[in-house]
Amino acid sequence: MVVLSPSLLPVPTLHCFRHESGSTGSGMLSHKNSNYIRRFHEKITVCCSFDSKPTSQNVLCRRDLLLFALSSSLSAHFPSSGCLASEDVRTASFVDEINSYTYSYPVEQPSKKIFKWVESRKPERYSSAAPLSPDARLRIVSERVDFADNLIISVSIGPPNIQFLKSKDKKTWAAKDVADSVLSDKSALRVTSSQRMSESSVLDAHASEIDGELYWYYEYLVRKSPTKSAQEANLYRHYVASTAEREGYLYSLNASTLSKEWTEMGPFLEQTVASFRLLPPTDNYVPPYKDPWRFW
């Protein structure tokens, strides 16, 4: 179900989902360049501590440092929230009654841009949804795409990976561990969880409690692109995501675009991720554990 919002909403700048003490609501604030500088120096210090002899460990570190520098260079030129305050965007609300969640997404920026969304996957129950990996743990239950701007918004559901989330008490889960749990199951290749994770670099992660529900927010890069037009070696997909837990399953909204489009499209995707909420189940709700191998 899609509902157009009746008013124009401001687009907040929520780059990197930086959480600061005392924040309320979604807990997602604009980043400070000083945080990036500090993290950049920390990565340099760690990388320089390796022996000069090339090993798989320091090669990985140098690769991640390059990715971090790429993301930081983009964010350093990212417009502040004040620059975007005068720009409004019209949004639409999407409600999935089968899986009981909602989020908003941009449809029009007045006198400037119209988004051209295509619902590539209509909402469906977990048992019949498309798997993201051969073990079929993590599955896409809905997806929309804007081909013109290389934008993808998808919602996936899957059980936690006990390799990262050992405790059953979700209040003890670290945001980075939640991100690693989701990303470890996010691959179409027949590879191990650690190999799947090596495809991604988590840039930032934090948790916020909203209306009594925990949400984990994270930002990451993926070292591949599903578009044939992106052949350059330095192009990646830039993701922002939000995850919540219900009845033993992780519900995750992922929004992404190509790294070269992030400066322009990032604020819209961040707003979408910030709007993600689990809803009280209705009679149409189908829990993931119900008939898990039913395909109709």
Side-chain angles (χ1 to χ4, degrees):
M1 178 189 299
V2 177
V3 181
L4 288 176
S5 60
S7 61
L8 297 176
L9 299 177
V11 180
T13 302
L14 302 170
H15 191 70
C16 268
F17 304 94
R18 178 63 61 190
H19 177 67
E20 297 179 4
S21 59
S23 62
T24 58
S26 66
M28 309 185 68
L29 305 174
S30 58
H31 79 282
K32 303 292 188 298
N33 285 340
S34 59
N35 289 331
Y36 266 96
I37 295 173
R38 174 179 56 78
R39 291 165 58 212
F40 188 68
H41 280 281
E42 287 174 355
K43 286 183 176 285
I44 291 177
T45 301
V46 172
C47 289
C48 291
S49 66
F50 289 124
D51 189 271
S52 59
K53 181 179 179 180
T55 65
S56 60
Q57 188 178 17
N58 60 31
V59 167
L60 178 61
C61 180
R62 289 167 185 164
R63 180 183 61 184
D64 287 342
L65 182 59
L66 176 61
L67 289 172
F68 184 85
L70 172 63
S71 175
S72 299
S73 64
L74 288 174
S75 63
H77 296 87
F78 203 77
S80 65
S81 57
C83 295
L84 291 174
S86 60
E87 297 184 14
D88 295 321
V89 60
R90 189 160 64 96
T91 65
S93 295
F94 174 77
V95 177
D96 179 353
E97 294 185 349
I98 297 175
N99 300 291
S100 291
Y101 65 82
T102 183
Y103 65 85
S104 63
Y105 59 96
V107 293
E108 183 179 358
Q109 190 176 5
S111 70
K112 186 174 182 181
K113 181 177 184 59
I114 296 178
F115 293 87
K116 300 177 181 179
W117 294 105
V118 175
E119 194 172 30
S120 53
R121 295 183 187 275
K122 295 183 180 297
E124 57 183 322
R125 58 192 297 158
Y126 175 77
S127 62
S128 61
L132 278 167
S133 61
D135 57 21
R137 286 166 44 87
L138 190 65
R139 305 182 187 184
I140 302 175
V141 295
S142 71
E143 182 180 72
R144 66 182 62 252
V145 179
D146 182 329
F147 292 102
D149 293 308
N150 286 303
L151 304 178
I152 301 176
I153 300 173
S154 65
V155 176
S156 61
I157 299 176
N161 189 325
I162 59 174
Q163 178 182 350
F164 305 99
L165 302 175
K166 298 179 174 61
S167 173
K168 292 185 178 181
D169 183 4
K170 63 182 179 182
K171 292 184 179 180
T172 66
W173 294 351
K176 177 63 164 57
D177 292 337
V178 173
D180 287 341
S181 173
V182 175
L183 295 178
S184 66
D185 283 331
K186 190 178 179 182
S187 176
L189 303 177
R190 290 188 175 276
V191 293
T192 64
S193 294
S194 59
Q195 287 174 315
R196 290 171 193 160
M197 286 179 58
S198 68
E199 298 175 352
S200 309
S201 289
V202 177
L203 304 177
D204 196 20
H206 81 270
S208 291
E209 185 171 342
I210 305 171
D211 297 330
E213 187 73 52
L214 273 173
Y215 290 84
W216 295 274
Y217 300 96
Y218 44 101
E219 180 178 8
Y220 61 99
L221 300 179
V222 172
R223 302 178 182 93
K224 59 183 180 181
S225 173
T227 61
K228 292 182 179 180
S229 60
Q231 300 295 334
E232 295 89 340
N234 64 339
L235 280 181
Y236 307 90
R237 287 203 73 83
H238 198 141
Y239 284 79
V240 283
S242 174
T243 295
E245 186 274 344
R246 179 169 57 197
E247 298 181 311
Y249 285 80
L250 299 179
Y251 290 67
S252 302
L253 183 145
N254 287 266
S256 69
T257 187
L258 295 178
S259 57
K260 65 178 182 178
E261 306 289 346
W262 180 255
T263 300
E264 180 182 358
M265 296 298 164
F268 301 116
L269 300 182
E270 290 170 337
Q271 183 187 33
T272 293
V273 170
S275 70
F276 179 63
R277 298 288 185 273
L278 296 184
L279 297 174
T282 65
D283 292 340
N284 295 324
Y285 171 64
V286 180
Y289 55 80
K290 183 177 181 180
D291 301 328
W293 297 108
R294 176 180 169 182
F295 292 94
W296 64 93

PDB file of all heavy atoms in Angstrom, residues 181-214:
ATOM      1  N   SER A 181      25.886  -9.399  11.062  1.00  0.00           N
ATOM      2  CA  SER A 181      24.965 -10.533  10.970  1.00  0.00           C
ATOM      3  C   SER A 181      24.160 -10.478   9.680  1.00  0.00           C
ATOM      4  O   SER A 181      24.027 -11.489   8.974  1.00  0.00           O
ATOM      5  CB  SER A 181      24.027 -10.522  12.182  1.00  0.00           C
ATOM      6  OG  SER A 181      23.022 -11.516  12.056  1.00  0.00           O
ATOM      7  N   VAL A 182      23.642  -9.296   9.358  1.00  0.00           N
ATOM      8  CA  VAL A 182      22.847  -9.144   8.133  1.00  0.00           C
ATOM      9  C   VAL A 182      23.724  -9.309   6.895  1.00  0.00           C
ATOM     10  O   VAL A 182      23.365 -10.039   5.953  1.00  0.00           O
ATOM     11  CB  VAL A 182      22.144  -7.773   8.114  1.00  0.00           C
ATOM     12  CG1 VAL A 182      21.421  -7.559   6.784  1.00  0.00           C
ATOM     13  CG2 VAL A 182      21.153  -7.660   9.270  1.00  0.00           C
ATOM     14  N   LEU A 183      24.877  -8.666   6.886  1.00  0.00           N
ATOM     15  CA  LEU A 183      25.730  -8.693   5.702  1.00  0.00           C
ATOM     16  C   LEU A 183      26.337 -10.071   5.459  1.00  0.00           C
ATOM     17  O   LEU A 183      26.649 -10.429   4.317  1.00  0.00           O
ATOM     18  CB  LEU A 183      26.845  -7.655   5.834  1.00  0.00           C
ATOM     19  CG  LEU A 183      26.369  -6.197   5.875  1.00  0.00           C
ATOM     20  CD1 LEU A 183      27.556  -5.254   6.054  1.00  0.00           C
ATOM     21  CD2 LEU A 183      25.596  -5.842   4.615  1.00  0.00           C
ATOM     22  N   SER A 184      26.509 -10.857   6.516  1.00  0.00           N
ATOM     23  CA  SER A 184      27.096 -12.188   6.350  1.00  0.00           C
ATOM     24  C   SER A 184      26.182 -13.116   5.566  1.00  0.00           C
ATOM     25  O   SER A 184      26.632 -14.097   4.969  1.00  0.00           O
ATOM     26  CB  SER A 184      27.398 -12.808   7.715  1.00  0.00           C
ATOM     27  OG  SER A 184      26.193 -13.071   8.428  1.00  0.00           O
ATOM     28  N   ASP A 185      24.881 -12.818   5.562  1.00  0.00           N
ATOM     29  CA  ASP A 185      23.922 -13.634   4.813  1.00  0.00           C
ATOM     30  C   ASP A 185      23.512 -13.000   3.491  1.00  0.00           C
ATOM     31  O   ASP A 185      22.645 -13.518   2.797  1.00  0.00           O
ATOM     32  CB  ASP A 185      22.659 -13.853   5.646  1.00  0.00           C
ATOM     33  CG  ASP A 185      22.856 -14.910   6.721  1.00  0.00           C
ATOM     34  OD1 ASP A 185      23.686 -15.816   6.510  1.00  0.00           O
ATOM     35  OD2 ASP A 185      22.200 -14.824   7.766  1.00  0.00           O
ATOM     36  N   LYS A 186      24.122 -11.870   3.148  1.00  0.00           N
ATOM     37  CA  LYS A 186      23.707 -11.129   1.968  1.00  0.00           C
ATOM     38  C   LYS A 186      24.668 -11.373   0.809  1.00  0.00           C
ATOM     39  O   LYS A 186      25.525 -10.575   0.493  1.00  0.00           O
ATOM     40  CB  LYS A 186      23.645  -9.634   2.295  1.00  0.00           C
ATOM     41  CG  LYS A 186      22.990  -8.795   1.207  1.00  0.00           C
ATOM     42  CD  LYS A 186      22.914  -7.337   1.625  1.00  0.00           C
ATOM     43  CE  LYS A 186      22.297  -6.498   0.537  1.00  0.00           C
ATOM     44  NZ  LYS A 186      22.251  -5.073   0.890  1.00  0.00           N
ATOM     45  N   SER A 187      24.493 -12.500   0.126  1.00  0.00           N
ATOM     46  CA  SER A 187      25.323 -12.802  -1.032  1.00  0.00           C
ATOM     47  C   SER A 187      24.663 -13.891  -1.849  1.00  0.00           C
ATOM     48  O   SER A 187      24.073 -14.819  -1.303  1.00  0.00           O
ATOM     49  CB  SER A 187      26.728 -13.254  -0.616  1.00  0.00           C
ATOM     50  OG  SER A 187      27.498 -13.632  -1.742  1.00  0.00           O
ATOM     51  N   ALA A 188      24.757 -13.769  -3.171  1.00  0.00           N
ATOM     52  CA  ALA A 188      24.201 -14.779  -4.066  1.00  0.00           C
ATOM     53  C   ALA A 188      25.223 -15.867  -4.381  1.00  0.00           C
ATOM     54  O   ALA A 188      24.914 -16.838  -5.067  1.00  0.00           O
ATOM     55  CB  ALA A 188      23.719 -14.136  -5.369  1.00  0.00           C
ATOM     56  N   LEU A 189      26.445 -15.713  -3.885  1.00  0.00           N
ATOM     57  CA  LEU A 189      27.509 -16.657  -4.186  1.00  0.00           C
ATOM     58  C   LEU A 189      27.556 -17.766  -3.134  1.00  0.00           C
ATOM     59  O   LEU A 189      27.217 -17.561  -1.975  1.00  0.00           O
ATOM     60  CB  LEU A 189      28.862 -15.931  -4.215  1.00  0.00           C
ATOM     61  CG  LEU A 189      28.967 -14.769  -5.204  1.00  0.00           C
ATOM     62  CD1 LEU A 189      30.336 -14.105  -5.063  1.00  0.00           C
ATOM     63  CD2 LEU A 189      28.749 -15.245  -6.626  1.00  0.00           C
ATOM     64  N   ARG A 190      28.022 -18.935  -3.515  1.00  0.00           N
ATOM     65  CA  ARG A 190      28.190 -20.041  -2.575  1.00  0.00           C
ATOM     66  C   ARG A 190      29.543 -19.887  -1.874  1.00  0.00           C
ATOM     67  O   ARG A 190      30.523 -20.540  -2.198  1.00  0.00           O
ATOM     68  CB  ARG A 190      28.094 -21.383  -3.303  1.00  0.00           C
ATOM     69  CG  ARG A 190      26.690 -21.707  -3.792  1.00  0.00           C
ATOM     70  CD  ARG A 190      26.576 -23.116  -4.324  1.00  0.00           C
ATOM     71  NE  ARG A 190      25.204 -23.453  -4.669  1.00  0.00           N
ATOM     72  CZ  ARG A 190      24.297 -23.889  -3.810  1.00  0.00           C
ATOM     73  NH1 ARG A 190      24.628 -24.055  -2.552  1.00  0.00           N
ATOM     74  NH2 ARG A 190      23.077 -24.161  -4.205  1.00  0.00           N
ATOM     75  N   VAL A 191      29.565 -19.015  -0.920  1.00  0.00           N
ATOM     76  CA  VAL A 191      30.800 -18.728  -0.187  1.00  0.00           C
ATOM     77  C   VAL A 191      30.473 -18.721   1.300  1.00  0.00           C
ATOM     78  O   VAL A 191      29.319 -18.774   1.719  1.00  0.00           O
ATOM     79  CB  VAL A 191      31.394 -17.361  -0.591  1.00  0.00           C
ATOM     80  CG1 VAL A 191      31.868 -17.387  -2.026  1.00  0.00           C
ATOM     81  CG2 VAL A 191      30.372 -16.244  -0.398  1.00  0.00           C
ATOM     82  N   THR A 192      31.525 -18.676   2.131  1.00  0.00           N
ATOM     83  CA  THR A 192      31.332 -18.661   3.572  1.00  0.00           C
ATOM     84  C   THR A 192      30.863 -17.284   4.032  1.00  0.00           C
ATOM     85  O   THR A 192      30.945 -16.301   3.294  1.00  0.00           O
ATOM     86  CB  THR A 192      32.639 -19.014   4.287  1.00  0.00           C
ATOM     87  OG1 THR A 192      33.601 -17.990   4.009  1.00  0.00           O
ATOM     88  CG2 THR A 192      33.172 -20.361   3.817  1.00  0.00           C
ATOM     89  N   SER A 193      30.403 -17.227   5.282  1.00  0.00           N
ATOM     90  CA  SER A 193      29.937 -15.955   5.833  1.00  0.00           C
ATOM     91  C   SER A 193      31.047 -14.920   5.839  1.00  0.00           C
ATOM     92  O   SER A 193      30.835 -13.749   5.548  1.00  0.00           O
ATOM     93  CB  SER A 193      29.399 -16.164   7.255  1.00  0.00           C
ATOM     94  OG  SER A 193      28.240 -16.958   7.237  1.00  0.00           O
ATOM     95  N   SER A 194      32.270 -15.336   6.173  1.00  0.00           N
ATOM     96  CA  SER A 194      33.389 -14.393   6.210  1.00  0.00           C
ATOM     97  C   SER A 194      33.722 -13.878   4.824  1.00  0.00           C
ATOM     98  O   SER A 194      34.086 -12.717   4.648  1.00  0.00           O
ATOM     99  CB  SER A 194      34.625 -15.060   6.836  1.00  0.00           C
ATOM    100  OG  SER A 194      35.007 -16.212   6.088  1.00  0.00           O
ATOM    101  N   GLN A 195      33.592 -14.731   3.802  1.00  0.00           N
ATOM    102  CA  GLN A 195      33.847 -14.289   2.436  1.00  0.00           C
ATOM    103  C   GLN A 195      32.766 -13.310   1.982  1.00  0.00           C
ATOM    104  O   GLN A 195      33.059 -12.354   1.272  1.00  0.00           O
ATOM    105  CB  GLN A 195      33.897 -15.496   1.487  1.00  0.00           C
ATOM    106  CG  GLN A 195      35.161 -16.329   1.630  1.00  0.00           C
ATOM    107  CD  GLN A 195      35.105 -17.581   0.787  1.00  0.00           C
ATOM    108  OE1 GLN A 195      34.103 -18.292   0.760  1.00  0.00           O
ATOM    109  NE2 GLN A 195      36.181 -17.868   0.071  1.00  0.00           N
ATOM    110  N   ARG A 196      31.525 -13.529   2.388  1.00  0.00           N
ATOM    111  CA  ARG A 196      30.457 -12.600   2.047  1.00  0.00           C
ATOM    112  C   ARG A 196      30.716 -11.249   2.690  1.00  0.00           C
ATOM    113  O   ARG A 196      30.519 -10.200   2.085  1.00  0.00           O
ATOM    114  CB  ARG A 196      29.108 -13.147   2.521  1.00  0.00           C
ATOM    115  CG  ARG A 196      28.619 -14.351   1.746  1.00  0.00           C
ATOM    116  CD  ARG A 196      27.393 -14.960   2.397  1.00  0.00           C
ATOM    117  NE  ARG A 196      27.103 -16.279   1.849  1.00  0.00           N
ATOM    118  CZ  ARG A 196      26.369 -17.196   2.446  1.00  0.00           C
ATOM    119  NH1 ARG A 196      25.834 -16.934   3.623  1.00  0.00           N
ATOM    120  NH2 ARG A 196      26.154 -18.357   1.886  1.00  0.00           N
ATOM    121  N   MET A 197      31.170 -11.255   3.941  1.00  0.00           N
ATOM    122  CA  MET A 197      31.451 -10.011   4.640  1.00  0.00           C
ATOM    123  C   MET A 197      32.582  -9.236   3.994  1.00  0.00           C
ATOM    124  O   MET A 197      32.609  -8.009   4.027  1.00  0.00           O
ATOM    125  CB  MET A 197      31.799 -10.293   6.104  1.00  0.00           C
ATOM    126  CG  MET A 197      30.606 -10.670   6.970  1.00  0.00           C
ATOM    127  SD  MET A 197      31.134 -11.000   8.639  1.00  0.00           S
ATOM    128  CE  MET A 197      31.906  -9.425   9.043  1.00  0.00           C
ATOM    129  N   SER A 198      33.554  -9.956   3.381  1.00  0.00           N
ATOM    130  CA  SER A 198      34.690  -9.274   2.771  1.00  0.00           C
ATOM    131  C   SER A 198      34.268  -8.446   1.570  1.00  0.00           C
ATOM    132  O   SER A 198      35.020  -7.603   1.090  1.00  0.00           O
ATOM    133  CB  SER A 198      35.757 -10.297   2.348  1.00  0.00           C
ATOM    134  OG  SER A 198      35.282 -11.105   1.286  1.00  0.00           O
ATOM    135  N   GLU A 199      33.058  -8.681   1.057  1.00  0.00           N
ATOM    136  CA  GLU A 199      32.557  -7.878  -0.045  1.00  0.00           C
ATOM    137  C   GLU A 199      32.145  -6.484   0.431  1.00  0.00           C
ATOM    138  O   GLU A 199      31.978  -5.581  -0.374  1.00  0.00           O
ATOM    139  CB  GLU A 199      31.346  -8.557  -0.689  1.00  0.00           C
ATOM    140  CG  GLU A 199      31.631  -9.924  -1.314  1.00  0.00           C
ATOM    141  CD  GLU A 199      30.361 -10.582  -1.822  1.00  0.00           C
ATOM    142  OE1 GLU A 199      29.268 -10.040  -1.556  1.00  0.00           O
ATOM    143  OE2 GLU A 199      30.456 -11.621  -2.482  1.00  0.00           O
ATOM    144  N   SER A 200      31.952  -6.311   1.739  1.00  0.00           N
ATOM    145  CA  SER A 200      31.395  -5.078   2.287  1.00  0.00           C
ATOM    146  C   SER A 200      32.337  -4.449   3.296  1.00  0.00           C
ATOM    147  O   SER A 200      33.131  -5.136   3.940  1.00  0.00           O
ATOM    148  CB  SER A 200      30.050  -5.360   2.961  1.00  0.00           C
ATOM    149  OG  SER A 200      29.182  -6.071   2.109  1.00  0.00           O
ATOM    150  N   SER A 201      32.238  -3.130   3.435  1.00  0.00           N
ATOM    151  CA  SER A 201      32.971  -2.381   4.456  1.00  0.00           C
ATOM    152  C   SER A 201      31.978  -1.512   5.216  1.00  0.00           C
ATOM    153  O   SER A 201      31.360  -0.618   4.635  1.00  0.00           O
ATOM    154  CB  SER A 201      34.047  -1.492   3.822  1.00  0.00           C
ATOM    155  OG  SER A 201      35.106  -2.264   3.311  1.00  0.00           O
ATOM    156  N   VAL A 202      31.787  -1.805   6.506  1.00  0.00           N
ATOM    157  CA  VAL A 202      30.881  -1.016   7.338  1.00  0.00           C
ATOM    158  C   VAL A 202      31.591   0.263   7.750  1.00  0.00           C
ATOM    159  O   VAL A 202      32.658   0.230   8.358  1.00  0.00           O
ATOM    160  CB  VAL A 202      30.436  -1.811   8.581  1.00  0.00           C
ATOM    161  CG1 VAL A 202      29.550  -0.947   9.473  1.00  0.00           C
ATOM    162  CG2 VAL A 202      29.699  -3.083   8.166  1.00  0.00           C
ATOM    163  N   LEU A 203      31.007   1.399   7.414  1.00  0.00           N
ATOM    164  CA  LEU A 203      31.606   2.699   7.712  1.00  0.00           C
ATOM    165  C   LEU A 203      31.192   3.232   9.066  1.00  0.00           C
ATOM    166  O   LEU A 203      31.970   3.918   9.733  1.00  0.00           O
ATOM    167  CB  LEU A 203      31.226   3.718   6.622  1.00  0.00           C
ATOM    168  CG  LEU A 203      31.582   3.336   5.183  1.00  0.00           C
ATOM    169  CD1 LEU A 203      31.072   4.405   4.228  1.00  0.00           C
ATOM    170  CD2 LEU A 203      33.071   3.139   5.028  1.00  0.00           C
ATOM    171  N   ASP A 204      29.956   2.945   9.469  1.00  0.00           N
ATOM    172  CA  ASP A 204      29.463   3.483  10.735  1.00  0.00           C
ATOM    173  C   ASP A 204      28.249   2.676  11.163  1.00  0.00           C
ATOM    174  O   ASP A 204      27.535   2.111  10.327  1.00  0.00           O
ATOM    175  CB  ASP A 204      29.101   4.961  10.569  1.00  0.00           C
ATOM    176  CG  ASP A 204      28.961   5.673  11.908  1.00  0.00           C
ATOM    177  OD1 ASP A 204      29.493   5.143  12.899  1.00  0.00           O
ATOM    178  OD2 ASP A 204      28.319   6.730  11.962  1.00  0.00           O
ATOM    179  N   ALA A 205      28.003   2.607  12.482  1.00  0.00           N
ATOM    180  CA  ALA A 205      26.852   1.879  13.008  1.00  0.00           C
ATOM    181  C   ALA A 205      26.505   2.400  14.395  1.00  0.00           C
ATOM    182  O   ALA A 205      27.399   2.720  15.183  1.00  0.00           O
ATOM    183  CB  ALA A 205      27.151   0.374  13.070  1.00  0.00           C
ATOM    184  N   HIS A 206      25.222   2.485  14.679  1.00  0.00           N
ATOM    185  CA  HIS A 206      24.775   2.848  16.022  1.00  0.00           C
ATOM    186  C   HIS A 206      23.337   2.382  16.221  1.00  0.00           C
ATOM    187  O   HIS A 206      22.663   1.983  15.264  1.00  0.00           O
ATOM    188  CB  HIS A 206      24.883   4.361  16.261  1.00  0.00           C
ATOM    189  CG  HIS A 206      23.752   5.159  15.691  1.00  0.00           C
ATOM    190  ND1 HIS A 206      23.779   5.668  14.419  1.00  0.00           N
ATOM    191  CD2 HIS A 206      22.549   5.522  16.215  1.00  0.00           C
ATOM    192  CE1 HIS A 206      22.651   6.329  14.178  1.00  0.00           C
ATOM    193  NE2 HIS A 206      21.880   6.254  15.251  1.00  0.00           N
ATOM    194  N   ALA A 207      22.890   2.396  17.468  1.00  0.00           N
ATOM    195  CA  ALA A 207      21.539   1.950  17.800  1.00  0.00           C
ATOM    196  C   ALA A 207      20.753   3.083  18.423  1.00  0.00           C
ATOM    197  O   ALA A 207      21.308   3.961  19.086  1.00  0.00           O
ATOM    198  CB  ALA A 207      21.605   0.764  18.766  1.00  0.00           C
ATOM    199  N   SER A 208      19.431   3.071  18.210  1.00  0.00           N
ATOM    200  CA  SER A 208      18.528   4.036  18.825  1.00  0.00           C
ATOM    201  C   SER A 208      17.246   3.322  19.231  1.00  0.00           C
ATOM    202  O   SER A 208      16.797   2.402  18.539  1.00  0.00           O
ATOM    203  CB  SER A 208      18.186   5.178  17.861  1.00  0.00           C
ATOM    204  OG  SER A 208      19.304   5.998  17.633  1.00  0.00           O
ATOM    205  N   GLU A 209      16.668   3.754  20.330  1.00  0.00           N
ATOM    206  CA  GLU A 209      15.392   3.211  20.776  1.00  0.00           C
ATOM    207  C   GLU A 209      14.290   4.197  20.435  1.00  0.00           C
ATOM    208  O   GLU A 209      14.330   5.362  20.843  1.00  0.00           O
ATOM    209  CB  GLU A 209      15.410   2.933  22.280  1.00  0.00           C
ATOM    210  CG  GLU A 209      14.137   2.253  22.772  1.00  0.00           C
ATOM    211  CD  GLU A 209      14.248   1.797  24.212  1.00  0.00           C
ATOM    212  OE1 GLU A 209      15.391   1.698  24.713  1.00  0.00           O
ATOM    213  OE2 GLU A 209      13.204   1.547  24.841  1.00  0.00           O
ATOM    214  N   ILE A 210      13.311   3.742  19.666  1.00  0.00           N
ATOM    215  CA  ILE A 210      12.216   4.595  19.208  1.00  0.00           C
ATOM    216  C   ILE A 210      10.897   3.947  19.591  1.00  0.00           C
ATOM    217  O   ILE A 210      10.603   2.822  19.172  1.00  0.00           O
ATOM    218  CB  ILE A 210      12.284   4.801  17.679  1.00  0.00           C
ATOM    219  CG1 ILE A 210      13.645   5.347  17.269  1.00  0.00           C
ATOM    220  CG2 ILE A 210      11.164   5.717  17.209  1.00  0.00           C
ATOM    221  CD1 ILE A 210      13.864   5.370  15.780  1.00  0.00           C
ATOM    222  N   ASP A 211      10.123   4.647  20.406  1.00  0.00           N
ATOM    223  CA  ASP A 211       8.832   4.131  20.862  1.00  0.00           C
ATOM    224  C   ASP A 211       8.978   2.742  21.488  1.00  0.00           C
ATOM    225  O   ASP A 211       8.153   1.840  21.251  1.00  0.00           O
ATOM    226  CB  ASP A 211       7.830   4.082  19.708  1.00  0.00           C
ATOM    227  CG  ASP A 211       7.527   5.463  19.152  1.00  0.00           C
ATOM    228  OD1 ASP A 211       7.588   6.438  19.920  1.00  0.00           O
ATOM    229  OD2 ASP A 211       7.245   5.572  17.936  1.00  0.00           O
ATOM    230  N   GLY A 212      10.060   2.558  22.235  1.00  0.00           N
ATOM    231  CA  GLY A 212      10.279   1.292  22.922  1.00  0.00           C
ATOM    232  C   GLY A 212      10.856   0.184  22.062  1.00  0.00           C
ATOM    233  O   GLY A 212      11.076  -0.929  22.548  1.00  0.00           O
ATOM    234  N   GLU A 213      11.145   0.474  20.798  1.00  0.00           N
ATOM    235  CA  GLU A 213      11.689  -0.526  19.874  1.00  0.00           C
ATOM    236  C   GLU A 213      13.119  -0.151  19.496  1.00  0.00           C
ATOM    237  O   GLU A 213      13.410   0.995  19.175  1.00  0.00           O
ATOM    238  CB  GLU A 213      10.832  -0.600  18.607  1.00  0.00           C
ATOM    239  CG  GLU A 213      11.213  -1.709  17.656  1.00  0.00           C
ATOM    240  CD  GLU A 213      10.814  -3.075  18.171  1.00  0.00           C
ATOM    241  OE1 GLU A 213       9.637  -3.252  18.535  1.00  0.00           O
ATOM    242  OE2 GLU A 213      11.688  -3.964  18.217  1.00  0.00           O
ATOM    243  N   LEU A 214      14.016  -1.144  19.540  1.00  0.00           N
ATOM    244  CA  LEU A 214      15.408  -0.896  19.167  1.00  0.00           C
ATOM    245  C   LEU A 214      15.569  -0.945  17.650  1.00  0.00           C
ATOM    246  O   LEU A 214      15.072  -1.867  16.991  1.00  0.00           O
ATOM    247  CB  LEU A 214      16.332  -1.941  19.805  1.00  0.00           C
ATOM    248  CG  LEU A 214      16.850  -1.653  21.215  1.00  0.00           C
ATOM    249  CD1 LEU A 214      17.608  -2.867  21.752  1.00  0.00           C
ATOM    250  CD2 LEU A 214      17.757  -0.429  21.214  1.00  0.00           C
TER     251      LEU A 214
END
